[in-house]
Amino acid sequence: KSFRGCFTGAKFKGYNYTLPDRIVYEYQIKLTFLAPEMQIGSSIEKDEVEVGEETTVHVNVTNIGAVPGTAYFSTKIPDELKVIELPDQLCQLTSNNTLVLVKDLIEGEMRHCDYKVVPLNPGIYNLISKTEFDSIERAKREALSTLKVKALPLSLNTSFNKQVPLGDNLTLTFELILS
């Protein structure tokens, strides 16, 4: 890979042995490499939902650096959340419930990765979006969004007598519990 950079000075030491007093030459160099710098942000449309209620997650990756670079984006979705990909999105869902995006971004360019989730169980879920970008240090950035999933406001319990001779009546009991 090639890098663009800035030159702001030099430091060299040298001796001129042909002169009787051996003159010392000294210079100072400072090189600064310009590298991409990625910023990642994440938000949730509704950060508190009930089981089965969908919400949209918005993730933005922006190159705020001075040169183009490649962003390697990923978000691992907890198994308790069903992922619904939205049309016309650049990110792709892999087999292990992870959204990924590899994209070259020029300076100032932003890419979106929006998706919907439907919680299957109550709980608190952390959605951690990560981006790495191609620079000397392979720097990493993260964004966190938290989704709180409430239990449904009611539940249904059923019971019945399990052994009933053929032809007898079966008694089913339904109990609706409001929370």
Side-chain angles (χ1 to χ4, degrees):
K1 295 260 181 177
S2 62
F3 295 96
R4 291 192 291 180
C6 298
F7 174 78
T8 59
K11 186 171 189 174
F12 294 106
K13 278 190 175 181
Y15 300 94
N16 187 339
Y17 291 103
T18 61
L19 299 174
D21 58 354
R22 294 186 181 168
I23 299 175
V24 176
Y25 299 97
E26 207 172 298
Y27 300 93
Q28 192 168 15
I29 290 181
K30 182 178 179 186
L31 292 175
T32 306
F33 291 107
L34 300 177
E37 176 75 22
M38 300 297 167
Q39 182 180 53
I40 188 167
S42 176
S43 64
I44 300 180
E45 184 179 60
K46 294 184 275 182
D47 58 0
E48 189 170 320
V49 295
E50 293 178 351
V51 172
E53 182 182 0
E54 70 180 34
T55 187
T56 303
V57 181
H58 305 280
V59 181
N60 297 323
V61 179
T62 307
N63 182 357
I64 60 171
V67 295
T70 303
Y72 302 91
F73 161 80
S74 67
T75 298
K76 172 74 171 101
I77 311 299
D79 292 335
E80 295 84 2
L81 301 176
K82 178 182 171 190
V83 180
I84 302 171
E85 291 178 276
L86 297 175
D88 303 324
Q89 291 296 310
L90 295 174
C91 48
Q92 298 174 343
L93 185 62
T94 65
S95 60
N96 63 352
N97 222 27
T98 301
L99 286 166
V100 295
L101 169 69
V102 177
K103 184 71 178 157
D104 291 331
L105 300 176
I106 62 171
E107 307 91 293
E109 185 176 10
M110 177 191 295
R111 287 290 177 208
H112 306 280
C113 182
D114 298 335
Y115 58 96
K116 290 187 180 198
V117 292
V118 179
L120 305 174
N121 296 306
I124 296 175
Y125 301 100
N126 290 322
L127 302 170
I128 301 172
S129 299
K130 300 177 183 181
T131 188
E132 294 183 21
F133 45 96
D134 96 2
S135 67
I136 297 170
E137 299 173 358
R138 186 76 170 183
K140 300 174 184 178
R141 302 287 182 269
E142 291 185 356
L144 170 68
S145 291
T146 302
L147 177 63
K148 182 178 179 185
V149 181
K150 302 181 287 184
L152 291 174
L154 58 94
S155 61
L156 180 66
N157 288 337
T158 59
S159 62
F160 59 93
N161 48 347
K162 294 185 180 178
Q163 294 181 349
V164 177
L166 190 60
D168 282 359
N169 289 333
L170 174 68
T171 303
L172 293 174
T173 305
F174 295 96
E175 179 183 20
L176 185 63
I177 302 167
L178 298 173
S179 30

Coordinates of all heavy atoms in Angstrom, one line a residue, residues 11 56 78 84 138 174:
K11 N 16.4 14.9 10.5 CA 17.5 14.9 11.4 C 18.5 13.9 10.8 O 18.2 12.7 10.8 CB 17.1 14.5 12.8 CG 18.2 14.6 13.8 CD 17.7 14.4 15.2 CE 18.8 14.7 16.2 NZ 18.4 14.6 17.5
T56 N -36.2 -0.6 14.3 CA -35.1 -0.5 13.4 C -33.8 0.1 14.0 O -33.9 1.0 14.9 CB -35.5 0.5 12.2 OG1 -36.7 0.0 11.6 CG2 -34.5 0.7 11.2
P78 N -27.5 -10.7 18.8 CA -27.9 -11.8 19.7 C -28.9 -12.8 19.1 O -29.8 -12.4 18.3 CB -28.4 -11.1 20.9 CG -27.9 -9.7 20.8 CD -27.8 -9.4 19.4
I84 N -34.2 -8.7 10.4 CA -34.9 -8.5 9.1 C -34.0 -7.5 8.3 O -33.9 -6.4 8.7 CB -36.3 -8.0 9.3 CG1 -37.1 -8.9 10.1 CG2 -36.9 -7.7 7.9 CD1 -38.5 -8.4 10.5
R138 N -4.3 -0.7 12.1 CA -5.5 -1.5 12.0 C -6.4 -1.1 13.1 O -6.9 -1.9 13.9 CB -5.3 -3.0 12.0 CG -6.4 -3.8 11.7 CD -6.8 -3.8 10.3 NE -7.8 -4.8 10.0 CZ -8.3 -5.1 8.8 NH1 -7.9 -4.4 7.8 NH2 -9.2 -6.0 8.7
F174 N -58.3 -22.4 31.2 CA -57.4 -21.3 30.7 C -57.4 -20.2 31.7 O -58.4 -19.8 32.3 CB -58.0 -20.7 29.4 CG -58.0 -21.7 28.2 CD1 -59.1 -22.4 27.9 CD2 -56.9 -21.8 27.5 CE1 -59.2 -23.3 26.9 CE2 -56.9 -22.7 26.4 CZ -58.0 -23.4 26.1

